[in-house]
Amino acid sequence: MSPSLEVGIYVFVLATFLGLEIIRRVSPLLHTPLMSLTYAISAITVVGSILVAGEQKTNLSTVLGTLAVTCSMINIVGGYLITYRMLRMFRKSGKDRR
């Protein structure tokens, strides 16, 4: 394993644990704005992972780029579906349109 890959994995693992701790301590009032920011970050991740997967330098980078595109798109689509469902809860019952 190359030293740059080891450093990349190390940073990824630390960022994952740090992100989980930060998200757990967010006030419920800030949850919706925070999720909006998260969806924007996922959109940026999609663009970056498409670039990584498209370069096809190594098989590992292509597989990881494709995996990143898939995970980011699941996050974005799921986020929009959840947001749509939340917004429907605030509609008046007489105007329940789809």
Side-chain angles (χ1 to χ4, degrees), residues 17-87:
F17 286 121
L18 180 66
L20 287 173
E21 284 302 312
I22 289 172
I23 296 296
R24 279 189 198 150
R25 296 184 182 177
V26 170
S27 165
L29 276 175
L30 296 175
H31 188 265
T32 302
L34 180 66
M35 291 310 295
S36 297
L37 180 64
T38 303
Y39 302 143
I41 291 171
S42 288
I44 295 168
T45 305
V46 168
V47 173
S49 56
I50 287 172
L51 292 174
V52 169
E55 286 180 352
Q56 297 181 346
K57 287 187 177 181
T58 64
N59 286 337
L60 180 62
S61 69
T62 304
V63 169
L64 290 178
T66 305
L67 183 65
V69 169
T70 304
C71 291
S72 295
M73 286 307 299
I74 289 171
N75 187 26
I76 291 171
V77 171
Y80 281 118
L81 291 175
I82 290 170
T83 302
Y84 178 73
R85 184 175 176 194
M86 285 175 49
L87 290 174

